[in-house]
Amino acid sequence: MTGRFHGKSVVVTGAGSGIGRATARLFAGEGARVIAFDLSEGVEETAAGQERIVAMRGDAGSAGDVQALIAAAVRDLGGVDIIAANAGISGGLAGLFEQTAEDWAKILEVNLIGPFLAIRHGAEAMINAGRPGSIICTASVAGLRAGAGGPAYSASKAGVINLVQTAAQQLTGTGIRVNAVCPGLVETGMTQSLYDAARAKGREEMIGQLNPTQRGGEPRELAEAIAFLASDQASYINGHALVVDGGLSTSHPFAKPRKLGVTTF
């Protein structure tokens, strides 16, 4: 098999559905060997019938699980060339006074510490093997400015954007590039309830109408952006957050929040 990624070893976290599943299958379709990693059993479906994809269950926010993932890539695939750190959770749209510290800790664990662990352990394996590589983290337009997600989710994704910038600098001279994609509204497991509700009301055509392209995105479109950043075509792109949102972030629509019933001191 030939393709842009022939002979490459790839790890994709959050590969149980949506963007992660599309990304794992795109890389495999272009010649890579892939470990699809997710806590959910959906990762088995991602790998089903795909001879170049192996499923692995685990928690992207757990240091031990991520170390085991990278070790499996080194052992079974001969190393790791590309990592798509895609795992994430939304935490819902609860407001600042509705979320708890525990809510924040869980969201940050998966959405921000998870990409850190992927970069930390993945880059170490690349450096030890003396091979260049590419790491792509999934951030969000919610990390660019307010109005596209809940407080904890938005803060976690802003952290991812800064993380890739910082990591790119920290890895100077190693040949390892670190970038991010910032999706807008895309039909994934995270947004499925929104899509289902719109369809149930016969308003599917309204999905994505707040962006200039006037539609929601497809997981494959994000997978293509991730593959581009991983490829030699992006060899001079490093520490960058690529926005893939149909133009939504050119002007985030924003609803004025209701008055809060809190006591001021």
Side-chain angles (χ1 to χ4, degrees):
M1 175 180 287
T2 59
R4 280 184 295 176
F5 305 106
H6 177 69
K8 298 293 187 182
S9 300
V10 179
V11 167
V12 181
T13 72
S17 64
I19 295 168
R21 174 176 292 172
T23 299
R25 290 181 174 175
L26 188 154
F27 278 119
E30 294 209 34
R33 294 176 299 163
V34 180
I35 295 181
F37 183 82
D38 202 292
L39 194 59
S40 79
E41 62 184 17
V43 73
E44 306 291 345
E45 184 180 340
T46 298
Q50 303 284 324
E51 64 179 23
R52 304 186 72 83
I53 301 178
V54 174
M56 182 174 177
R57 299 282 292 276
D59 183 352
S62 162
D65 285 4
V66 174
Q67 285 178 291
L69 169 63
I70 299 302
V74 172
R75 181 186 65 245
D76 301 335
L77 304 183
V80 57
D81 300 297
I82 297 165
I83 299 172
N86 171 74
I89 57 176
S90 73
L93 295 174
L96 193 65
F97 296 102
E98 298 164 324
Q99 287 182 319
T100 66
E102 291 75 17
D103 294 330
W104 274 70
K106 183 59 181 177
I107 292 166
L108 290 171
E109 179 183 86
V110 178
N111 292 2
L112 182 54
I113 295 176
F116 156 70
L117 292 171
I119 294 170
R120 159 85 172 85
H121 297 295
E124 183 176 44
M126 293 172 183
I127 291 168
N128 287 343
R131 60 206 286 176
S134 180
I135 302 172
I136 305 95
C137 301
T138 300
S140 170
V141 294
L144 300 174
R145 57 185 65 87
Y153 178 81
S154 299
S156 71
K157 294 302 187 176
V160 172
I161 293 169
N162 189 270
L163 172 64
V164 301
Q165 296 168 343
T166 303
Q169 287 289 335
Q170 291 277 304
L171 293 169
T172 294
T174 63
I176 301 169
R177 297 183 296 109
V178 187
N179 292 291
V181 292
C182 296
L185 179 62
V186 180
E187 185 169 10
T188 67
M190 191 182 297
T191 61
Q192 197 62 56
S193 60
L194 183 153
Y195 275 79
D196 290 345
R199 286 168 180 149
K201 295 176 181 178
R203 302 182 66 183
E204 185 175 359
E205 75 283 354
M206 298 298 293
I207 294 173
Q209 291 301 297
L210 295 179
N211 72 58
T213 311
Q214 295 197 307
R215 65 173 177 83
E218 298 291 336
R220 174 79 183 196
E221 292 174 305
L222 270 297
E224 292 283 4
I226 291 168
F228 165 70
L229 290 172
S231 75
D232 291 340
Q233 294 167 303
S235 58
Y236 203 51
I237 300 176
N238 199 8
H240 179 67
L242 177 63
V243 178
V244 189
D245 70 346
L248 176 66
S249 58
T250 57
S251 178
H252 274 179
F254 194 85
K256 186 177 180 181
R258 65 185 186 280
K259 290 184 177 180
L260 302 172
V262 297
T263 302
T264 55
F265 296 92

